[in-house]
Amino acid sequence: MCATGLLSVRGMQDAEEALPEQVNFGEIDCDSCSELAKAIPVHNVPLVAYYRAGKLIAELIGAEQNVRVRLEGLLRDEPIGHAGWYARKRIELLHSSGR
């Protein structure tokens, strides 16, 4: 994760507390670790980079993302990108409304 303090610390803590045995977290200071930030690559901050088995799965920009929900989806082998996540939520809403 590369953040400037805009990403919800509470949201990250929630995910870390809920999934302590399944996921690992790290934070990069993009100013002092610019080479590492370029390796992801970081195009904008705040950014959460999601990896599985050492492979970059998604890089999602934005402070309002629900990291815990996205990680839980990743652990179920579901798409976690913005388009995949919104499409899945729309399907869930349609099913719950009986459509």
Side-chain angles (χ1 to χ4, degrees):
M1 174 187 70
C2 183
T4 59
L6 298 175
L7 186 61
S8 169
V9 172
R10 192 171 16 159
M12 291 296 290
Q13 288 173 340
D14 176 51
E16 192 168 9
E17 289 170 7
L19 306 164
E21 301 299 318
Q22 294 107 336
V23 298
N24 295 308
F25 292 85
E27 185 173 344
I28 301 169
D29 180 333
C30 295
D31 294 324
S32 64
C33 301
S34 60
E35 290 302 313
L36 183 56
K38 289 177 188 174
I40 292 177
V42 175
H43 298 289
N44 204 343
V45 292
L47 172 121
V48 178
Y50 295 88
Y51 289 83
R52 180 155 199 169
K55 181 182 175 189
L56 182 63
I57 302 298
E59 311 162 44
L60 303 177
I61 298 167
E64 297 300 320
Q65 59 185 292
N66 188 328
V67 175
R68 178 179 175 177
V69 168
R70 290 185 190 281
L71 287 171
E72 290 169 342
L74 179 62
L75 291 170
R76 291 187 302 267
D77 291 323
E78 296 174 357
I80 63 165
H82 289 297
W85 187 82
Y86 286 114
R88 189 173 71 251
K89 288 298 172 194
R90 180 166 160 47
I91 290 168
E92 288 172 6
L93 287 172
L94 289 173
H95 285 292
S96 67
S97 67
R99 292 185 189 177

